[in-house]
Amino acid sequence: MIEFKDVGVRRDGRELFAGASFQLHPGHKVGLTGNNGTGKSTLFALLLTRMGTGDTEVTLDRGEVSIPDSWHVAHMAQEVGASAQTAIDYVLSGDEQWYEINAALNDLSSVSDEQIGVLHQQFDEIDGYRTPTKAAQIMAGLGFNTNQHELPVEGFSGGWRMRLNLAKTLMSRADLMLLDEPTNHLDLDAILWLETWINAFTGLVIVISHDQTFLDNTVGHILHVEQQKITLYTGNYQQFIRTRHERMAQQQQAFEKQEATKAHLDDFIRRFRAKASKAKQAQSRIKQLERMAELSPMMADNPFSFRFYEPANMSSPLIELTDADIGYSDTPLLYNANVQVTPDTRIGLLGMNGAGKSTLVKALVGELSVLKGSYKVSDTLKLGYFNQHQMDILDPKATPIEMLRRLAGKTSDAMLRSFLGSFDFRGDRIDTISELFSGGERARLTLALIVWQRPNVLVLDEPTNHLDLQMRQALTIALQGFEGAVVLVSHDRELIANVCDELYLVHDGQIDEFDGDISDYGKWLAEKRKQENSTDKSSSKKKNKKANKKFVSRETAEGVSNNSSSTSKAPAKNEAAQPTLSKDALRKMAAEQRKLTAPIRRDIENTEKALANIDEQLMALEEKLANTQLYEESRKSDLLVLLNEQTALQQQHSDNEEKLLLSMTTLEEMEAGFE
C-alpha cells in the first residue's frame, strides 16, 4: 500500500501540494489528472525518489510518504535515446531479473558448476523460458511486426521509440507501474490492446492520460490535483466528472453563503465598531471573520473557448475520389477508392496500423496523386489540414502573433490577441517564439492558424496527440459547431463518437462504409487480431502438413497397389494422386484415425473443463476483491491471501491455455496427416 500523510511539496519556490493525504492499494488502477503545471509529473518524481529510482529528486517540505520496501517500480520515461541494441533485446531488458540471469547463462566462463545449477533454477522459477514469447506478444500488441524485432532502436522514428519504451515498461516485474501519456503515440488498435493489458495487470497502476475513453475503460480511481490539493475519487473518469461537478456546485453554494455572512459581519463591524455599547460584539465579529476558513468560488477551469468561423463559400461536392488507386511508386496500397466530401460530410476513418488511412488522407488533400481513377476538387474548396507535418513546419523563430499577423493582414493587434487568448496564448506566450513551445502548444497554435483561415473542409490526422483533456473537450465542442465538412483520423474515441456521423473502414486495400459505431469497431479489431494470431500460428505448420499429406498419400497408394491385380501408375503432373478406396476400407481408416486421436481429444476436453473451472474461481475472487472493506489496514492479511490466490489461478490459467494450444496444434497436424 502507498500512503500519503499530510504531504507538502515545493518546487522552484512554488507550493504544489499542501496537506495531501490518500491511500492506494495493490490492484488499484488509478488515473492521475489535473491541469498542466499542477504537479502530476512531480508526484511521479516523488514516488520514484521514495523508491530510490528516477533522475529528478523531490524532497518533502512536510508529511510522510510510505511505500513497501519490497516493491519494485516501472516508469515509462518520455524520451528514448538512439541505441544499436535490437528492438527485442531492448524490450526484454525491461525484465531486469530475466535479463541478468539470461546474460549470465549465455556467458558461463566465470560461473562455477554449482552457480550454473542455481541460475537454471532461478530461471525456471521466474518462468524464463516463456519470457521472450511474452516480449513478442507485447510488441505485437503495440503494432510491431516480427521482422522489426532485430532492427536497432536507433532505426525507429521518435513515435515508434516511444512504443518500444512502453513495451519495455510493460515487461517489468513491477508492483507499481507509472505510465505517463502511454497512448500518445499509439493508434486505436494498440490502445485497445493496452486497455486489456492494464486490466489484467495485478499490481498498482498510476496513469497520466488525456484520453477520456481510455481512462474510463481502465481505471477505478481518479487522483485529481487541483489548487495544491490531491483528492482521491472512486470510479472511472466519467464518474469523477459527475462527482467533482457536484462538489464544485456545493463549494459554490458554500462560497456564496460565506460571502453573504462576511458582508453581514463587515457591515455590523463598520456600523458598531465605534460604539462603546457594541464594541464587544464588534470585536467578536472580527474574530469570527479571522477564524472563517477561506473558500474559493467555483471557476470554469477550461481556458479554451474557440470556435470555427462559418465558411464563406461552399459547393457540392468539395472533394471527390472516383475509382482511384492510391499508393507510392506505382504500387497501389488502396484500390478503387470512392470518397465524396460534401458540405455536410463528417467522416471518421478507421483501420489498423498501416492499412492506409494516412495514405487516403494525403490523396484527399492533394499531397499524393492517384495512380488510377480521378481526383477532383471544387473551385470553392478552402482546406484546413492538420497533421504532425503541419506542426513541424511552423516558423521556429516567429511568435504566435507574428504568424497570425501574416495571415490576418491589417487586423488590429487587440483582435489578434483576443483570438489567440481563446487558444490560451496569453501574456508572455503570445510573444514567445514557437521553437520554445511544447508539443501541446505547437498543436494549439497550428489549430489556431487553421481556424483563422475559415476553411470549409477540415481534414484532421491525429489532431489530439499532444492536447490535454481540456483542449480536447474544447476541440470537440468547436467541431460540433463547425458548419463545413470534416474528415477525421484519431485514436480518441470520444472525439470520433461526438463529431463523426459516418465511419469508413480502410482494410485490405479497400475503403468501405463501416456498419456500426466506434465500440463495434473495437470488437471488429479484436476479432481480426484473433484471426491474424491464428494465421501466424498455423503458417509455421504448413510445410509439415504438406509433408505429412505426401507421406500418407504415398503410403496409402502403395497399400492399394499391393492389394490390386494391376500395377499403379504415377499420376500425371496435373492429376492428384487420389487412390480409390472401398466403403469398408474408408470406415476402417476412419475408425483407426479416431482411435489414434482419442487420447489427444480427451486431453483437449479435460483442459477446457479445467479452464472453465479456473474462470469460475477467478470470477468469484474478483467479486471478493471488489469489496472496499477488504482494503482497510485491519484486513491486510486477508487481502494478501486473496491476491496470492488470484496470482496462482492466473498462472494456472496461462499454463492450461498453453497446454490447450499445444494439444489443438498436435490434433491439427495428426488430422492433416490423415488427409
Side-chain angles (χ1 to χ4, degrees):
M1 179 182 73
I2 293 176
E3 185 171 18
F4 275 50
K5 292 181 180 178
D6 193 32
V7 169
V9 173
R10 283 182 176 274
R11 294 193 76 177
D12 301 322
R14 186 164 67 97
E15 187 175 48
L16 291 176
F17 312 137
S21 298
F22 58 86
Q23 292 180 347
L24 303 177
H25 297 273
H28 278 183
K29 310 296 188 295
V30 183
L32 180 58
T33 63
N35 293 347
N36 291 335
T38 54
K40 300 188 297 294
S41 296
T42 297
L43 183 59
F44 270 17
L46 175 58
L47 289 169
L48 291 169
T49 298
R50 305 303 289 184
M51 299 186 76
T53 61
D55 300 325
T56 305
E57 185 173 348
V58 178
T59 56
L60 298 180
D61 284 344
R62 70 172 189 272
E64 179 184 345
V65 176
S66 61
I67 305 174
D69 294 335
S70 60
W71 274 23
H72 295 282
V73 62
H75 175 230
M76 179 187 167
Q78 289 299 295
E79 293 183 5
V80 182
S83 167
Q85 191 176 22
T86 64
I88 187 68
D89 204 39
Y90 179 79
V91 173
L92 282 165
S93 68
D95 187 342
E96 295 179 4
Q97 190 176 3
W98 180 91
Y99 204 71
E100 290 175 4
I101 297 173
N102 187 63
L105 288 172
N106 284 323
D107 182 15
L108 299 174
S109 56
S110 59
V111 180
S112 67
D113 291 343
E114 184 179 345
Q115 289 173 318
I116 292 174
V118 172
L119 286 172
H120 278 290
Q121 182 180 352
Q122 292 174 341
F123 202 69
D124 188 55
E125 287 173 353
I126 64 171
D127 202 13
Y129 299 101
R130 291 176 58 188
T131 299
T133 302
K134 177 185 175 184
Q137 289 171 342
I138 289 175
M139 291 183 71
L142 294 178
F144 291 93
N145 299 320
T146 53
N147 57 8
Q148 293 177 298
H149 287 191
E150 299 302 324
L151 296 178
V153 172
E154 61 191 5
F156 291 90
S157 66
W160 283 93
R161 285 189 198 176
M162 289 307 301
R163 292 197 190 205
L164 284 174
N165 195 38
L166 175 58
K168 177 182 177 180
T169 305
L170 300 183
M171 277 298 296
S172 172
R173 298 172 186 270
D175 304 284
L176 169 64
M177 191 161 291
L178 305 178
L179 301 177
D180 192 351
E181 295 294 354
T183 65
N184 255 8
H185 299 278
L186 302 183
D187 45 26
L188 187 49
D189 46 334
I191 292 175
L192 290 167
W193 176 88
L194 181 60
E195 288 177 357
T196 302
W197 191 95
I198 289 176
N199 287 325
F201 181 65
T202 57
L204 169 61
V205 178
I206 307 177
V207 57
I208 299 173
S209 177
H210 296 312
D211 187 329
Q212 178 177 329
T213 307
F214 175 75
L215 290 175
D216 282 337
N217 291 343
T218 54
V219 306
H221 294 81
I222 294 291
L223 202 58
H224 188 64
V225 187
E226 183 179 36
Q227 297 179 356
Q228 293 82 48
K229 301 184 188 307
I230 304 178
T231 308
L232 182 64
Y233 293 82
T234 299
N236 63 12
Y237 188 79
Q238 282 191 353
Q239 292 169 307
F240 152 70
I241 290 295
R242 286 196 296 270
T243 305
R244 179 168 175 259
H245 281 176
E246 289 170 2
R247 288 192 181 185
M248 290 175 72
Q250 292 169 359
Q251 181 181 342
Q252 180 69 15
Q253 291 173 359
F255 172 76
E256 291 171 355
K257 184 177 180 180
Q258 186 187 73
E259 289 298 294
T261 302
K262 286 168 69 175
H264 176 73
L265 293 174
D266 280 332
D267 183 60
F268 184 92
I269 293 166
R270 179 181 54 79
R271 286 188 293 121
F272 299 113
R273 190 172 195 170
K275 292 187 177 182
S277 61
K278 298 287 186 178
K280 188 174 181 180
Q281 293 179 26
Q283 195 63 34
S284 173
R285 301 297 196 279
I286 292 172
K287 289 181 180 179
Q288 185 178 346
L289 271 175
E290 291 172 348
R291 289 195 303 268
M292 194 174 288
E294 191 68 29
L295 297 178
S296 300
M298 182 184 75
M299 301 295 291
D301 56 357
N302 196 330
F304 311 109
S305 57
F306 70 94
R307 63 181 178 85
F308 288 96
Y309 298 129
E310 181 182 354
N313 296 298
M314 281 195 290
S315 60
S316 184
L318 291 160
I319 303 174
E320 190 170 26
L321 280 171
T322 306
D323 297 329
D325 286 0
I326 309 167
Y328 306 88
S329 303
D330 297 327
T331 303
L333 181 61
L334 302 172
Y335 297 87
N336 297 317
N338 289 284
V339 179
Q340 189 178 80
V341 178
T342 63
D344 58 354
T345 292
R346 288 178 171 269
I347 295 174
L349 295 180
L350 306 176
M352 300 174 77
N353 180 50
K357 299 187 298 296
S358 292
T359 300
L360 176 58
V361 164
K362 288 177 182 177
L364 287 172
V365 301
E367 281 191 1
L368 191 63
S369 299
V370 299
L371 303 176
K372 191 193 84 172
S374 68
Y375 168 71
K376 297 177 183 177
V377 298
S378 166
D379 292 337
T380 64
L381 175 67
K382 192 156 190 181
L383 189 67
Y385 178 35
F386 179 99
N387 70 355
Q388 188 67 41
H389 175 65
Q390 305 301 115
M391 287 172 52
D392 292 341
I393 62 174
L394 289 173
D395 185 346
K397 299 299 181 183
T399 67
I401 198 164
E402 287 171 344
M403 282 185 259
L404 186 58
R405 191 178 289 117
R406 293 169 188 170
L407 299 173
K410 296 180 180 180
T411 308
S412 69
D413 271 13
M415 184 175 290
L416 297 183
R417 288 180 180 275
S418 174
F419 174 78
L420 288 169
S422 68
F423 289 84
D424 201 28
F425 289 104
R426 297 181 172 89
D428 293 342
R429 301 314 280 175
I430 287 181
D431 300 306
T432 301
I433 58 175
S434 69
E435 69 178 358
L436 301 178
F437 284 168
S438 66
E441 287 173 314
R442 290 202 308 275
R444 281 193 275 123
L445 179 55
T446 303
L447 282 168
L449 298 176
I450 289 172
V451 170
W452 182 269
Q453 296 174 72
R454 192 171 286 191
N456 53 25
V457 175
L458 287 170
V459 179
L460 308 176
D461 191 352
E462 296 293 359
T464 63
N465 268 359
H466 298 279
L467 303 182
D468 61 20
L469 276 166
Q470 292 174 311
M471 182 60 187
R472 291 185 188 207
Q473 291 165 358
L475 177 61
T476 300
I477 293 169
L479 286 173
Q480 287 173 333
F482 178 56
E483 295 183 19
V486 177
V487 179
L488 175 64
V489 178
S490 179
H491 63 252
D492 190 322
R493 285 156 287 177
E494 195 77 12
L495 182 65
I496 292 175
N498 288 318
V499 170
C500 299
D501 297 329
E502 50 188 337
L503 301 176
Y504 278 54
L505 178 64
V506 183
H507 183 66
D508 281 346
Q510 302 297 315
I511 303 163
D512 299 300
E513 191 166 353
F514 183 74
D515 185 18
D517 59 19
I518 193 66
S519 61
D520 294 319
Y521 175 65
K523 297 171 187 173
W524 179 89
L525 272 176
E527 184 60 33
K528 284 296 174 186
R529 193 176 292 122
K530 282 182 184 177
Q531 292 176 8
E532 289 184 355
N533 289 340
S534 176
T535 302
D536 290 341
K537 288 168 186 173
S538 62
S539 62
S540 62
K541 307 165 198 165
K542 285 183 178 178
K543 291 182 180 178
N544 290 335
K545 286 184 179 181
K546 289 179 181 177
N548 286 338
K549 286 181 182 179
K550 289 178 182 178
F551 175 78
V552 173
S553 296
R554 185 173 67 250
E555 187 178 52
T556 307
E558 288 171 354
V560 173
S561 174
N562 291 337
N563 294 321
S564 175
S565 57
S566 60
T567 305
S568 292
K569 294 181 180 180
K573 185 176 181 180
N574 294 325
E575 294 175 353
Q578 295 290 344
T580 303
L581 297 177
S582 67
K583 291 183 179 179
D584 286 342
L586 287 171
R587 278 196 295 270
K588 288 179 181 179
M589 183 179 290
E592 186 65 25
Q593 290 173 5
R594 286 195 298 273
K595 183 178 178 182
L596 289 172
T597 58
I600 196 71
R601 291 181 184 279
R602 280 196 298 272
D603 284 346
I604 290 173
E605 184 179 354
N606 291 336
T607 307
E608 287 176 337
K609 287 179 180 178
L611 280 169
N613 183 41
I614 294 170
D615 284 335
E616 288 180 4
Q617 294 181 64
L618 282 170
M619 287 178 63
L621 264 179
E622 287 172 4
E623 289 181 6
K624 291 180 181 178
L625 288 168
N627 183 359
T628 55
Q629 295 179 354
L630 194 61
Y631 296 93
E632 296 174 359
E633 188 64 29
S634 60
R635 301 285 303 278
K636 184 176 180 180
S637 59
D638 296 337
L639 175 63
L640 289 174
V641 169
L642 290 176
L643 289 173
N644 288 335
E645 187 178 345
Q646 185 185 46
T647 301
L649 283 170
Q650 287 169 338
Q651 182 61 51
Q652 290 177 33
H653 196 281
S654 177
D655 292 343
N656 276 280
E657 278 187 332
E658 188 175 359
K659 180 181 177 183
L660 180 62
L661 179 61
L662 182 61
S663 297
M664 293 177 74
T665 301
T666 303
L667 181 61
E668 274 183 35
E669 291 174 348
M670 291 177 72
E671 289 178 337
F674 295 141
E675 292 179 14

